[in-house]
Amino acid sequence: MYKMLNFLFNQVHCDSAITNQLSFQDPATPVMEGIIDLHHDIFFFLIIILCLVSWVMTRICISYNSSSNPKPHTFKHHTMLEIVWTILPALVLVTIVGPSFTLLYAMDEVIDPAITIKAVGHQWYWSYEYCDYDLEGNNVLNFDSYIVPEEDLEIGQLRLLEVDNRVVLPINTHIRVITTSTDVIHSWAVPSLGTKTDAVPGRLNQMSLYIRREGVYYGQCSEICGVNHGFMPIVVEAVSLDDYIDWISTKLSE
C-alpha cells in the first residue's frame, strides 16, 4: 500500500514524524518493511477477533436479559464451546509465530558488514566512530552530533530533530552499527530504518542496516536518559556509494 501511495504522490516519502501521525513512517530497509507487513497481518486477525467478540457480546445482551429471557437456563458448562475457544486462539498464535520468529532472526542477523560504525550515547548528545578508517596515531574517524538550537535552524530543517553533524551511510551496503554509552542507558532508534537498540554503559550492542534508498532519516533517543532526553536526535543521511566515498575522503583530509 505505501509503495502505491508513494508512486501516486511522486515518490514523496515520509521519513520523519508529522502532525497527528497514526501510521508508520515509510520504510527504507527490508527489516522495516517486514515490521510493517507483520503489523498489518496481525491487525487482520485483530479485526476478526473484534468482530467475533462484539457479535457474541451483542447476542448475550439481547438474548439473555430479564425481559427477553425471564427464566434463565441452569447449565454451567459447554464442552464443545470450551474446546473451540481454546483451540482457535492457539491456531492464531501458531499462524503468527512463524513470520514473527523469521523477522526477529532477520533483525538480529549481521551479514558480513562492509562498514562498521559505533554510536556512543552521552548526556545529551551522540558521538560516532567510523571504525574502518584509521588515521595517524591509531585514531578512528569520529565526530560529535549535537542538536541544532531552534534559533539556528535553517529553512526546511526540523525542530528538535536536526543535528549539526549527520551520520552519512551508503545505500545497498551491509552496515553494522555498534552502540554503547558513557554514562546512562540511551537508545539509538530510527523508525524508517527499523532500528531501536539500547546503548548500555560498559557493553556493546550491535544491529545491522541495509538501506535501500537515498534520503534523510530522523530518529531520537528512545530511552528516558535524563532531563534533556528529548534533545538528542539522530539523523542518518543515506547517499550513493560514490557520494559516500567522496564524503569519507573529505573527512579524512580534514
Side-chain angles (χ1 to χ4, degrees):
M1 178 62 70
Y2 58 83
K3 292 181 179 179
M4 182 182 299
L5 293 176
N6 287 334
F7 176 78
L8 293 176
F9 292 100
N10 299 320
Q11 299 292 331
V12 177
H13 296 282
C14 175
D15 297 327
S16 62
I18 60 176
T19 304
N20 300 325
Q21 181 175 350
L22 294 177
S23 60
F24 294 98
Q25 296 179 16
D26 290 334
T29 62
V31 168
M32 190 58 193
E33 292 178 3
I35 292 173
I36 294 176
D37 290 341
L38 180 63
H39 169 269
H40 294 344
D41 293 341
I42 295 177
F43 208 80
F44 169 76
F45 289 106
L46 291 179
I47 292 176
I48 295 178
I49 294 171
L50 176 63
C51 294
L52 178 61
V53 173
S54 299
W55 176 79
V56 172
M57 295 297 294
T58 303
R59 177 75 180 267
I60 292 173
C61 294
I62 294 175
S63 302
Y64 300 95
N65 56 71
S66 59
S67 59
S68 60
N69 191 20
K71 185 178 180 181
H73 295 289
T74 58
F75 67 86
K76 298 179 180 179
H77 300 283
H78 194 294
T79 304
M80 182 56 66
L81 180 61
E82 293 181 358
I83 292 175
V84 169
W85 71 29
T86 300
I87 292 179
L88 283 181
L91 293 177
V92 172
L93 293 177
V94 170
T95 305
I96 294 175
V97 71
S100 298
F101 280 0
T102 302
L103 181 60
L104 285 173
Y105 280 113
M107 294 172 66
D108 193 53
E109 186 72 16
V110 178
I111 305 174
D112 191 19
I115 298 172
T116 299
I117 69 168
K118 184 178 180 182
V120 183
H122 307 269
Q123 288 183 318
W124 287 271
Y125 64 97
W126 292 95
S127 295
Y128 297 98
E129 299 177 4
Y130 284 71
C131 306
D132 303 295
Y133 313 101
D134 291 336
L135 302 176
E136 295 181 1
N138 295 325
N139 293 321
V140 297
L141 173 61
N142 61 82
F143 55 86
D144 296 330
S145 182
Y146 290 89
I147 186 174
V148 176
E150 186 174 354
E151 59 272 13
D152 296 334
L153 289 174
E154 299 178 357
I155 296 177
Q157 292 184 333
L158 302 177
R159 175 178 173 271
L160 300 181
L161 290 177
E162 192 58 64
V163 296
D164 55 357
N165 289 310
R166 295 176 173 178
V167 180
V168 179
L169 296 174
I171 62 173
N172 299 325
T173 304
H174 290 287
I175 303 166
R176 173 172 55 192
V177 180
I178 299 174
T179 61
T180 188
S181 172
T182 60
D183 35 53
V184 299
I185 299 177
H186 301 278
S187 184
W188 203 82
V190 183
S192 288
L193 304 183
T195 61
K196 185 179 183 296
T197 303
D198 284 345
V200 183
R203 177 173 178 173
L204 294 177
N205 291 328
Q206 69 175 5
M207 74 189 91
S208 62
L209 291 178
Y210 187 85
I211 307 174
R212 287 185 168 178
R213 58 181 174 84
E214 298 183 26
V216 179
Y217 309 106
Y218 296 89
Q220 291 177 301
C221 174
S222 294
E223 197 74 51
I224 299 178
C225 56
V227 64
N228 288 329
H229 156 70
F231 302 96
M232 50 184 304
I234 303 160
V235 181
V236 177
E237 183 175 353
V239 298
S240 65
L241 184 58
D242 292 337
D243 291 340
Y244 173 76
I245 294 174
D246 292 339
W247 180 83
I248 285 293
S249 301
T250 302
K251 282 291 185 181
L252 293 177
S253 63
E254 293 176 355

